[in-house]
Amino acid sequence: MKEKRKSSTGDAATPKSGGAKTPNKKVKAAADAEDDAGVPLNDTERAYLAWMKKQGVKLNGVSIGRFPHTGRGCVATRDIKEGDVLVEVPEAAIITADGSVAGSALVAFGLGGEALLHEYSPRLEREALVLAVMAEMSRGEESEFAPYLAALPTLRATHSPLGWSGAELAELEGTSALNRMTSADDESLELPSMTADHWKHVARPFLQRNPEFARMPGAGADDEDEDDDDDDAEENARRMYLHATALVAGFSFTLGEDDDSVEDDDDDDDDDSDSQVSTGGDTVQAMVPFWDMLNHVEPERSSVRLNHDEDANTLQMIAIRPHAEGEEVFNTYGAAGDAELLRRYGFVVRRNPHGGGAEVSTAECLAAAEFARFESDMHEDDDSESDYSDEDDEDDDSEDRFDGKMPPISDSDDDDEEEDDSEEDEEDGEEEDEEGDSDEEDLMAMDFRPGQIAREETLERLRMLRRWGILRNSKQTFEVSRTGKPSLALRYVARVLSMNRFQFRRLLAADAYERGERDDQEGAYSDEEDEDEDDDGFGDYKPLTVEQVWNGDTFLTDDGDDDVSEDEDDELQEREDQMGRVSVTLIALAERALTGGRYPTDSLRADMIKLKRLGAEAPGEREHAGLGGWRGAVGAKEDSRRVGDILFPPSWRDEERRAMHRQRMALVVRIREKRALVALKRWAANPCRTEDDILPPLLRR
C-alpha cells in the first residue's frame, strides 16, 4: 500500500546567511515558559491544541515546534521509536465535503454524495472540499472547526501563487508552475489549476444559490450603493474562495485507495500528487488536523507513514524511523519538482533531487520543428543545386530551380513533374472530393517557404501522435530533465513533426494500412490510377509496417515478406537525416524558450546575479515574515503575534520579507528551468549521442 503525505504548512530548508532580527533572550525565556516541552506557542496555537484535545485527537510524543529553516513544524517531545503511533485523529475531527456545514447544499448542487460518485472527477472532488472549507470559514467563531481554521495561514502567508500580486506573478512568467496554474486544461491536475474556470462555472453559481456561505451580491444594500456593495461582496467572496483553494491545495489529503488512480504512463508526475491513505473504500478529500503540521522531505527521508484503523475509526500517523527528543519529524509530499512544490504548497527546496527540470509546450515544438525542416530543406536545396550545377542547367532559369520553394517530395524529378501536373489539373477543375482538396493543400504547400507545411498536414501529424497515445491535447507539455535529457514523448514529437513530407507520407500510409483504412489512399504507396472506390487504395501493395518506417527501412522485397531491401546506403541516409532533424528541433526548442521572450529575462546570468543580490533566507526570518504559518495579514488585527508575555506589533518589514521570499522562489524556479534548457542544447548537440538516444524505438499504446 502506497502511503504518502500530500500537503503541509512548512516551507523548505534554506541556506544559512544574513542576520535577521530575532527576539532577545528575555523574550525567548518567556516563550519557553509557555510550554512544558520548551516549545513557544502563541494564543492561536494554544487554542488549536486545546481544540484537538477536546475533539479526541491524541498527540503521542509530538507537538508544534519552530525551526530555523523550516518555520513551524512537528517536534518530537520525547525519544521516538520506530513503530510508535505519534498521532491519532478521530474521523469526526476531519473536514470533508459531506461532513461539513455545506454538506447538504453540496449534494443538492451535485458536488456531494452519490451524485459525485457516479461521475468521478478528482478536480470536482477537490472543488467540493474547497467550498466546504469556505462555508466553515464563513461561519467564523460559530464553526465547529474555528480553532483549526484559525491556526492555518492566511492567503498571503501560504505563499501560494494564488495570493501573489501581478508583479510577483510576472516573475513566474514562462515557468511550468504558472502554466499549470493558469493555462493547463487538465482535470487530473492537483490544485491550484483551472481556478478561474471553476470559480466562474462552479463556485460562483453555488455561492449565488447559497449566499450564507459567503458574502454574495444582494445582501440588503441601499439602492444608491447597491452596485458598489455588490462588487465588494463578490470580490470578498472570490478572495475567500482563493484562500480556501490555497488551503485545500497545501493542507488536504486524499484518504482512500482508488485502484484506477495509479497510472504509470503519465508525464505529469501524477503519482506524486495522489497521496493516499487506505480507508478501505472510495477516495475522500479531507483536511486532517495536525497531519498538515509536518514539513516536507524527499520520500527516502520521510519519518512517518499514514494508516487508517477501521476498528477504532481513527487515522494514525506511525513513525518509521527513530527520533531523538527535540528533532523535527518530517513527512513527504512526494517526488515533486520545483514548479509543483511552488504551485501547490508555496515553497521550493534548496536541494531537490526530483527538481531542476523544465517543460516545453506543443506550440513550441511545432515552431522548433518548422525551423528544423527549414534547415534540412535548405541543405537539400544546396545539395541539389550542386548536383545540377555542372549539367542540365545551362538556361537562365537555373537559379529558380530551388528559389525558396518546398523541396521535392518525391525521389525523382519525373515523379515530381507528374505530381505537379496532376495538382494543376485538380486546381483548374471543380472537384470537391477529399482527394482533390488534399491536392490543393499540397499545391499551396509548394508555395510556402522551406520548412513550412500545410495546416491540414500539421493536424494530421498531431492526430497521429494522439492515436499513438503520445499527445493528449494541444496544450500538453513535455518534460526535460535537469541533465537536459528530453523525455521519450518529446523525442517522439520532435521526430514526427520535423519529418519531411515524403517521410511522413510513408509513415502515414503504414499507419493507415495497419488501421484498415485502405481506400482513397494518396500516400507513398497508393494506387492513384485505381478509381474504383471499392478497391484497395494501396493497389494490392503491402507497405512497410509503422515500426519498419520508424526504424528507417526504405523498401520491402517483391514477395511482400518482412525482409527489407539491402540498400543500406539509403537506409543510413534516411536515419542520418532524421537524427539531424530531431537534434536541430531540440536545439531550436531550447533556443526559442531561452531567447524568445518566454521568461521575463532572457539572460540566465542576469537572473543569477539578481538572486545573489537578494541573498539567502536568514535563520529566524521565516517566523518574522509569517512563513511559519501564523495567521494574519498585514494591517489586520490578527497580525499582532503574542509569544509568551511579549506582543509583536505588525510591521511593514513583515510584508517586505514575504515579497522578497516570493521573488526568491520565483527566481530559483526560473533559473533551474533555464539551466535544464541550456543542458538540453548540449544534450542534443553532443556528437557522442547514439542513434537510439536521438531516435528511440517506437512504443505505442
Side-chain angles (χ1 to χ4, degrees), residues 247-477:
L247 293 180
V248 173
F251 295 80
S252 70
F253 295 81
T254 303
L255 307 179
E257 187 171 7
D258 187 354
D259 295 336
D260 296 331
S261 68
V262 180
E263 299 181 1
D264 55 7
D265 53 58
D266 202 302
D267 287 335
D268 294 329
D269 285 336
D270 282 352
D271 288 343
D272 304 332
S273 60
D274 289 335
S275 335
Q276 299 171 348
V277 182
S278 177
T279 59
D282 294 325
T283 60
V284 176
Q285 203 75 19
M287 303 282 289
V288 184
F290 202 85
W291 275 19
D292 52 26
M293 191 64 62
L294 277 69
N295 290 318
H296 165 73
V297 291
E298 54 269 25
E300 298 78 12
R301 297 175 53 202
S302 177
S303 305
V304 298
R305 66 179 178 89
L306 310 178
N307 181 59
H308 178 244
D309 188 343
E310 297 183 5
D311 295 333
N313 292 324
T314 59
L315 304 172
Q316 299 176 331
M317 182 177 290
I318 303 174
I320 60 174
R321 65 181 72 247
H323 285 78
E325 181 180 353
E327 288 185 353
E328 183 172 6
V329 180
F330 290 98
N331 203 342
T332 181
Y333 309 169
D338 302 312
E340 278 297 275
L341 289 177
L342 178 59
R343 180 180 70 89
R344 291 163 55 186
Y345 307 113
F347 70 87
V348 295
V349 296
R350 182 184 180 188
R351 293 185 178 90
N352 185 3
H354 306 287
E359 292 182 353
V360 293
S361 66
T362 303
E364 290 174 319
C365 292
L366 287 168
E370 181 179 345
F371 178 80
R373 293 194 303 268
F374 172 82
E375 285 287 306
S376 299
D377 292 349
M378 292 303 294
H379 283 301
E380 289 180 4
D381 289 350
D382 294 340
D383 294 341
S384 299
E385 287 179 356
S386 63
D387 292 340
Y388 288 104
S389 61
D390 295 334
E391 55 181 340
D392 298 334
D393 275 347
E394 298 178 356
D395 297 334
D396 293 337
D397 61 346
S398 60
E399 295 180 357
D400 297 333
R401 178 176 292 274
F402 296 96
D403 55 353
K405 301 294 192 278
M406 290 288 291
I409 59 175
S410 178
D411 288 340
S412 67
D413 295 332
D414 294 337
D415 293 340
D416 184 48
E417 292 175 0
E418 291 176 4
E419 186 172 356
D420 287 341
D421 293 339
S422 175
E423 289 171 351
E424 291 175 1
D425 293 339
E426 295 291 350
E427 184 182 22
D428 294 336
E430 296 182 354
E431 299 181 19
E432 297 180 355
D433 58 3
E434 295 181 1
E435 184 174 355
D437 293 340
S438 177
D439 288 338
E440 280 190 356
E441 291 288 339
D442 291 344
L443 181 61
M444 293 175 60
M446 296 297 294
D447 293 331
F448 292 166
R449 64 180 180 272
Q452 195 171 17
I453 56 178
R455 178 177 179 272
E456 181 59 32
E457 182 172 334
T458 300
L459 295 176
E460 193 62 55
R461 297 186 186 213
L462 296 176
R463 293 189 194 104
M464 176 182 289
L465 291 169
R466 187 168 185 175
R467 286 195 298 269
W468 292 353
I470 298 171
L471 185 68
R472 292 193 304 274
N473 55 63
S474 61
K475 294 184 179 180
Q476 182 174 338
T477 58

Side-chain angles (χ1 to χ4, degrees), residues 19 39 80 133 141 247 362 375 486 526 532 600 633:
V39 179
I80 295 175
V133 170
E141 297 297 328
L247 293 180
T362 303
E375 285 287 306
S526 65
D532 191 345

